[in-house]
Amino acid sequence: MKNIFTNFEEYFLLFPKEVQVKLELLRKTIHEQIADLEEYIGYQMPAFRYKKKQLVYFAAYKNHIGFYPASDGIKFFEKDFIERKYKFSKGAVQFPLNEALPLDLVERMVKFKISEIDLLK
């Protein structure tokens, strides 16, 4: 996919309304975890930075939303993914579009990543 968008709103408009609603809910949930987040488009996906460090990415696909908290975020929450029967890989987890977003899990993953970044300084 060619990068034809420059912000979250333009990206969201590429998808059907029901997917847009989920993407906006995911965005809001991430923002609620800490005030000092920067939104940007990275690797052709909506992404967040915290203290100028990559926090998380996400992207919509035909049947799921991919959430990218990097490999440490995946390893730490692997048992949750298995328990909830989510597909996951070394750097991403898939949230099926036909299910409610696991906002509790997203909150915990974002807080985990924030604490990782805070420990760097």
Side-chain angles (χ1 to χ4, degrees):
M1 176 191 292
K2 190 175 180 180
N3 190 349
I4 57 171
F5 47 87
T6 59
N7 58 48
F8 282 27
E9 288 76 16
E10 291 175 359
Y11 179 83
F12 292 178
L13 288 173
L14 298 172
F15 300 95
K17 186 65 175 166
E18 60 273 9
V19 175
Q20 291 178 36
V21 169
K22 287 183 179 249
L23 293 171
E24 189 57 51
L25 183 58
L26 187 56
R27 176 192 204 180
K28 180 179 181 248
T29 300
I30 294 166
H31 269 293
E32 287 174 346
Q33 305 317 303
I34 197 157
D36 298 330
L37 295 181
E38 174 193 353
E39 291 186 353
Y40 69 104
I41 300 296
Y43 302 106
Q44 300 185 29
M45 294 182 276
F48 290 90
R49 283 188 191 108
Y50 171 63
K51 294 185 177 179
K52 299 184 181 183
K53 305 280 186 204
Q54 177 250 321
L55 185 65
V56 295
Y57 295 82
F58 62 92
Y61 299 93
K62 182 178 179 182
N63 297 310
H64 69 277
I65 292 175
F67 190 76
Y68 304 85
S71 59
D72 288 346
I74 294 296
K75 285 180 202 169
F76 193 83
F77 292 97
E78 187 173 326
K79 288 180 183 176
D80 292 276
F81 305 151
I82 292 168
E83 180 181 296
R84 296 181 191 213
K85 299 183 174 136
Y86 291 137
K87 292 180 183 178
F88 65 96
S89 64
K90 188 169 109 176
V93 60
Q94 297 180 6
F95 302 138
L97 287 175
N98 64 350
E99 298 177 14
L101 285 172
L103 299 179
D104 62 318
L105 182 57
V106 170
E107 288 175 6
R108 291 189 295 130
M109 285 191 285
V110 171
K111 286 178 181 174
F112 173 82
K113 293 297 295 176
I114 289 167
S115 68
E116 275 191 326
I117 292 169
D118 282 341
L119 289 174
L120 295 174
K121 293 202 172 200

